Amino acid sequence: MDKFNDMLLVTANVGSLFDNVGEIQNGWLEELYKTIQKYKPQFIALHFQEVGGKDYMVNMDKAESFFSTIESSEEMKEFDRSCIYVDTEFQTEDSFTALGSMYFIHRALKNIYQYDFNVKDFKTVSGQTKYVGSLNGVCTVEKEKFPKNFWPDFKWSRKGFLRTRWIIHNQGFDLVNIHLFHDASNLIAVNSSPSIYSANRKKALRYVINRISDSPSNPIPFFLFGDFNFRLDTLTLVQRLTIEADVVKVMKDRTNEVEKIIFEEKDDGRQTLLQIEEKLFEYVHQAVFRKDNGRALLKYDKEITSFHDVIREEDITFPPSYPYIEDSNQPKQYMNTRCPAWCDRILMSHTAHDLINRRDDDDDDDAQSVVYNTIGPHVCMGDHKPVFLSFLLKTNNH
């Protein structure tokens, strides 16, 4: 293994781009193109979630123009091959995922093949292929929405995964676009450790890993990137943030349900330190989530720990990727709707981790060989900051 290629993997929950069409999109695209220009990849994988936004029945027609804008941009003209898959078929509710995956191959990159899941063989990638619609019957992508019976007690939503498989210079790997379940209520999330939502995500992620590890004798390396909706362990974090506070629970009228939890400082001022409601998480010292890129909070990022047997991740050195306010004047400010968390991630199998060529960075003062970071840290990118991984891929010349 001696040659290598530059790879750029990007995951982005783009719901905000459709909910506020035109307001965020131009700056968002500019930051994406800057990242591409900086790292000069030969292979780009863009994984999008929430295509069409929350109001997808109204805004889905704008999705195709968003993808076309990227495809036809000046910045992509050196990429002479592309494969695009966008699940926009919201009429078929039992299979709609709102996922979109775009792959771009630079003209300098030769010997690239894509897997046909029907004939179970690889074919040379040439030209541009684009599938926008249901994706059913498209032989180069596998799509699955999570089975409804997994979560009978929760609102069934557009969550699932798309998988493609590639060979670059004799090295095979899967790229999987994934979207897992969110926390519906902060009041439920704070009830237990781990939360019931965390348990649901764990079940779904284990299901996906088992599904894509379909060849136990010769498992193919995989990169799994998307919106995992991983949250900090809310109960233990809240206990830590409010260690000196008094707790007041406000109940709903005529029921025994909690409406809000208020943590007040014990001094004379009785300042509210933290207030939690179903869709409110308002902590007075929000800077703690940004300080030193949120490093002190990483110990509460526990959802991935159950998967260390099968999954690796580069070290996180960026602040939580969600939920940012959608205000161009405050691109680093979080919304007070949810506790900030590293929802958007790029994970990989141990075998995929071994494919990353970690050359000695001391040899080159200008470039790190592996970069894991957010796109647009100083720009409003919507409620999620896209996350990228740039690396050199070891290639197998045998």
Side-chain angles (χ1 to χ4, degrees):
M1 290 191 176
D2 51 358
K3 292 181 72 177
F4 48 76
N5 300 290
D6 293 284
M7 305 276 290
L8 181 67
L9 312 183
V10 177
T11 181
N13 183 315
V14 290
S16 293
L17 303 195
F18 298 94
D19 294 330
N20 303 298
V21 175
E23 289 178 39
I24 300 171
Q25 214 169 97
N26 288 345
W28 191 100
L29 288 167
E30 202 174 300
E31 292 301 309
L32 173 68
Y33 299 145
K34 278 185 196 167
T35 305
I36 291 168
Q37 285 162 347
K38 179 172 181 177
Y39 294 99
K40 300 181 175 56
Q42 293 193 335
F43 182 92
I44 300 173
L46 307 177
H47 283 181
F48 299 126
Q49 305 83 41
E50 292 279 337
V51 172
K54 291 181 179 63
D55 205 0
Y56 53 85
M57 292 186 187
V58 175
N59 290 327
M60 193 54 87
D61 59 331
K62 302 180 179 75
E64 193 154 2
S65 67
F66 171 69
F67 287 91
S68 296
T69 299
I70 296 174
E71 191 185 4
S72 61
S73 68
E74 183 68 17
E75 288 79 5
M76 301 311 251
K77 71 178 192 300
E78 292 296 306
F79 295 83
D80 61 349
R81 286 147 293 167
S82 61
C83 303
I84 297 170
Y85 308 93
V86 195
D87 179 12
T88 60
E89 194 74 8
F90 58 82
Q91 293 90 346
T92 53
E93 191 187 318
D94 59 342
S95 64
F96 175 52
T97 63
L99 295 172
S101 299
M102 303 182 84
Y103 305 100
F104 293 94
I105 299 137
H106 195 276
R107 65 180 68 224
L109 182 56
K110 309 301 179 196
N111 302 330
I112 182 160
Y113 304 91
Q114 194 180 10
Y115 194 67
D116 181 318
F117 289 96
N118 280 2
V119 300
K120 296 184 168 41
D121 201 3
F122 287 91
K123 297 177 177 176
T124 304
V125 178
S126 60
Q128 278 88 21
T129 56
K130 187 174 185 179
Y131 303 97
V132 179
S134 74
L135 304 185
N136 295 337
V138 178
C139 58
T140 48
V141 66
E142 267 193 350
K143 182 187 99 169
E144 187 169 344
K145 182 169 181 167
F146 292 121
K148 193 171 188 176
N149 60 357
F150 263 36
W151 299 273
D153 302 329
F154 291 88
K155 183 184 172 191
W156 196 43
S157 55
R158 12 182 223 293
K159 304 292 194 291
F161 67 91
L162 298 180
R163 163 163 76 153
T164 55
R165 177 172 289 175
W166 306 83
I167 289 178
I168 297 180
H169 289 318
N170 295 331
Q171 186 58 68
F173 52 86
D174 279 353
L175 299 178
V176 185
N177 184 355
I178 188 169
H179 195 185
L180 297 183
F181 297 85
H182 63 284
D183 282 14
S185 167
N186 296 320
L187 293 168
I188 293 173
V190 79
N191 267 345
S192 60
S193 171
S195 77
I196 188 168
Y197 303 119
S198 172
N200 284 342
R201 287 189 285 269
K202 180 178 177 180
K203 182 178 177 183
L205 184 51
R206 191 60 75 176
Y207 173 83
V208 173
I209 290 168
N210 289 340
R211 270 282 286 108
I212 65 179
S213 308
D214 53 7
S215 171
S217 56
N218 185 24
I220 286 196
F222 62 80
F223 294 89
L224 186 59
F225 49 115
D227 179 1
F228 292 83
N229 262 312
F230 287 164
R231 304 303 168 103
L232 303 185
D233 189 54
T234 315
L235 178 58
T236 52
L237 174 64
V238 166
Q239 287 168 346
R240 177 71 192 87
L241 296 178
T242 60
I243 206 159
E244 297 291 324
D246 288 329
V247 187
V248 178
K249 287 190 177 179
V250 179
M251 312 306 282
K252 289 182 181 169
D253 290 344
R254 295 186 298 279
T255 71
N256 203 26
E257 283 182 74
V258 177
E259 185 176 20
K260 60 180 78 167
I261 307 171
I262 300 167
F263 298 86
E264 295 179 339
E265 289 185 340
K266 291 183 176 179
D267 60 18
D268 295 341
R270 307 297 293 173
Q271 183 188 13
T272 298
L273 192 62
L274 171 64
Q275 183 164 323
I276 300 175
E277 298 175 25
E278 183 181 340
K279 294 190 173 169
L280 182 78
F281 190 96
E282 191 167 6
Y283 182 55
V284 73
H285 305 302
Q286 200 198 80
V288 72
F289 297 105
R290 295 186 294 267
K291 184 184 176 188
D292 200 16
N293 291 322
R295 183 182 294 183
L297 304 171
L298 278 169
K299 64 183 173 195
Y300 302 102
D301 177 62
K302 297 178 181 177
E303 293 195 38
I304 193 174
T305 55
S306 315
F307 295 93
H308 282 162
D309 58 327
V310 284
I311 277 179
R312 296 283 302 265
E313 183 178 21
E314 295 299 310
D315 290 342
I316 292 176
T317 57
F318 49 88
S321 64
Y322 169 87
Y324 285 90
I325 63 171
E326 294 165 19
D327 180 346
S328 55
N329 296 316
Q330 302 182 78
K332 297 184 177 186
Q333 183 81 9
Y334 290 105
M335 270 194 278
N336 290 325
T337 50
R338 298 276 183 250
C339 177
W342 288 275
C343 292
D344 308 273
R345 315 277 278 254
I346 299 176
L347 311 180
M348 65 201 81
S349 63
H350 291 279
T351 47
H353 187 263
D354 293 341
L355 297 180
I356 295 178
N357 192 343
R358 297 168 193 282
R359 65 163 191 244
D360 188 350
D361 287 336
D362 294 339
D363 296 343
D364 186 347
D365 294 336
D366 297 326
Q368 285 176 275
S369 58
V370 183
V371 182
Y372 187 36
N373 212 336
T374 52
I375 294 178
H378 309 296
V379 174
C380 176
M381 302 292 280
D383 57 353
H384 289 255
K385 296 281 189 199
V387 169
F388 76 91
L389 179 66
S390 170
F391 63 95
L392 302 163
L393 177 71
K394 289 179 187 173
T395 57
N396 190 347
N397 285 327
H398 303 303

